[in-house]
Amino acid sequence: MRFIKAELLKLLYARRNYGILLGAMALSSIGSGFTPYALSRVPDALVNPLTQSAAVDSVYSRALGAYILTVILGVLVVTSEFNQKTAIATYLAAPKRYQPLVAKIIVASAAGAIMNLLATLVGMGVAAYALSFYPEAVAPSSSIWISNSLIALLTGAIIAIIGVGIGSLIRNQSFAVTIALIWFFIIDRLLAVLFVEVGKWLPTGLISGLENLKFNYQGPVVHVSSTDYLDPWPAAGLLTVYGITFVVLSLLTTTRRDID
Amino acid sequence: MTSIEFRNLRKVYKDLVAVSDLSVVVESGRITGFLGPNGAGKSTALKCLLGLAKPTSGTCLLNGKEYSDLDHPGKIVGAVLDSSGFNQALTARQNLKIICAANDIDDSRIDSLLELVELSKAANKRTRGFSMGMKQRLALAAALIADPEILVLDEPANGLDPIGIAWLRDLLRDLAKQGKTILVSSHQLAEMQHTVDDVVIINEGEIIASGPLKKIIGKKTLEEAFLALVRKK
Ligand SMILES: Nc1ncnc2c1ncn2[C@@H]1O[C@H](COP(=O)(O)OP(=O)(O)OP(=O)(O)O)[C@@H](O)[C@H]1O
Ligand SMILES: [Mg+2]
């Protein structure tokens, strides 16, 4: 308990974390705010996509995009201790190395879940507002607010844990943040649309599976359809396996390496 | 029971032997100077003692137990290490609050400790702007926060001005009078001569002398004795 309290204080005292929260809200809102405009201008569309509820759902699901910033939250929970040289005080308080780390994982996953939920709710609010400018837009699925909130909680928690794992493996803060951003902003996203066969097994592809949208896009470069992704439950299961894997990785690295 | 004991401690980094075979008992209720040239292995030995570095072989004991076997290590041993720091984006008080939380100590001691280390005025300032001496004082406050019976201090005088150094000497003597066991490393030998009861001198990872200060230095100053011992090697 004492370690969880200490980690919570660190999280709440750091003003940077409130900046990350605002950034997450902005990211969700930009995604969902611009999508109605983009959809209403799809060239060569036989019917206006906004008259299809699957397309309207996809606008709401753009609000889930902030998970990318929860990975940063997770990375910083570990690396800032080495960056600021507070790791020594943290580990001096604990007889066993795993204790502060478990506290970090618990606090980071809870904070990641809450942050992603708040960002997603704001983003969905923006989606509803943006859609109100398109009278032809139909209503979204009735469960979209609930299901997206649950997806936000799960992905926020697990991606934050992956961040803790990345931070434990790469203690250098700038390097760890750069790697995490390049992976989640670029590689993971590209794989999820350009190489679905690989990407569907990775976090962004799994989140697409969770979203469970119905679409089929056969463009000149990108051929992707919702049937390419895993179903929501297997996707949630595999995402959880990733979370557990990164918990184990961070425990192994933290208990073996010297602290300095 | 001895407060601090190193038993055949050996620590090797890749192919560099930082501590080769350190065995020494630090007497309780006394101030022991831990001396040696740069790179002698002092900080490494202290990190092994505090569970931060894993010994290649041998053990280090605090009150007869390894660090990882102490339930509440922070309440038994307080430490200042040369490589430790504070979150620069947070205030002195916030940094101490985190340390209190992690060690399950009441926050109420924070004010009196900040007063003890003469940082009351800077309590609510971010530590980013702290001078080296202020950081060192804050580190001492953190080490003392749980009122531990053992203190392990790695170059605590670093960055202190002459007034600060005199203040630290009085503080350490005062703490020893309260019965605390203090192991302190320093390069300021003239200062150490006025502060410590016992000395442990190491060089290249090995002990070259240990015992009561008076016995080790005889009629020489600590500096003369130290130089003679280190050069003999
Ligand atoms: N993490 C590390 N990795 C590799 N080598 C290390 C590490 N830490 C210390 N060393 C090496 O171990 C030796 C002992 O270093 P240590 O810091 O213990 O010396 P010291 O007695 O504290 O010196 P100083 O008086 O300069 O503080 C040095 O040669 C140092 O380069
Ligand atoms: Mg040193």
Side-chain angles (χ1 to χ4, degrees), chain B residues 117-227:
Chain B
V117 300
E118 299 172 355
L119 279 180
S120 296
K121 282 195 192 122
N124 297 318
K125 297 217 169 82
R126 278 169 219 290
T127 61
R128 175 168 297 133
F130 276 25
S131 68
M132 216 167 143
M134 289 166 83
K135 282 184 198 152
Q136 207 64 356
R137 284 167 185 265
L138 187 57
L140 279 161
L144 292 169
I145 199 126
D147 195 23
E149 58 199 87
I150 303 171
L151 284 167
V152 175
L153 310 174
D154 197 3
E155 304 193 33
N158 238 355
L160 293 182
D161 60 17
I163 304 166
I165 289 174
W167 164 84
L168 178 65
R169 180 203 312 149
D170 292 342
L171 176 69
L172 294 185
R173 293 252 53 115
D174 217 46
L175 292 164
K177 249 187 244 146
Q178 295 169 27
K180 298 192 191 301
T181 305
I182 304 172
L183 180 60
V184 50
S185 89
S186 176
H187 290 298
Q188 288 160 329
L189 299 178
E191 181 54 35
M192 289 303 259
Q193 191 174 346
H194 292 117
T195 312
V196 304
D197 304 305
D198 299 326
V199 289
V200 172
I201 304 178
I202 68 171
N203 192 17
E204 294 173 4
E206 287 174 23
I207 289 220
I208 51 175
S210 78
L213 175 76
K214 297 229 170 62
K215 212 177 115 203
I216 303 279
I217 65 175
K219 290 210 164 62
K220 290 185 268 198
T221 65
L222 177 57
E223 185 182 354
E224 288 163 350
F226 176 87
L227 291 176

Side-chain angles (χ1 to χ4, degrees), chain B residues 92-111:
Chain B
R93 188 190 303 279
Q94 286 175 325
N95 272 289
L96 290 182
K97 277 199 166 180
I98 290 170
I99 292 172
C100 282
N103 288 291
D104 201 14
I105 306 158
D106 202 58
D107 287 3
S108 57
R109 275 175 59 82
I110 290 179
D111 283 323

Side-chain angles (χ1 to χ4, degrees), chain B residues 38-39 41-44 82 154-155 185 187:
Chain B
N38 291 131
K42 304 179 296 293
S43 299
T44 303
D82 58 351
D154 197 3
E155 304 193 33
S185 89
H187 290 298

Side-chain angles (χ1 to χ4, degrees), chain A residues 66-161:
Chain A
Y67 66 87
I68 290 172
L69 286 183
T70 65
V71 76
I72 303 304
L73 188 83
V75 168
L76 293 180
V77 161
V78 179
T79 57
S80 71
E81 296 252 42
F82 292 98
N83 196 37
Q84 302 282 344
K85 299 177 184 281
T86 51
I88 287 186
T90 297
Y91 287 96
L92 278 179
K96 309 274 194 264
R97 290 272 178 87
Y98 69 82
Q99 292 165 323
L101 187 69
V102 168
K104 284 181 190 302
I105 289 169
I106 292 171
V107 169
S109 57
I114 293 168
M115 184 171 107
N116 203 27
L117 176 65
L118 292 176
T120 300
L121 289 174
V122 169
M124 289 198 290
V126 170
Y129 179 70
L131 284 164
S132 71
F133 290 91
Y134 299 85
E136 70 276 23
V138 297
S141 305
S142 58
S143 62
I144 196 88
W145 283 80
I146 303 269
S147 61
N148 277 355
S149 296
L150 292 176
I151 295 170
L153 286 170
L154 178 74
T155 56
I158 290 185
I159 304 289
I161 290 175

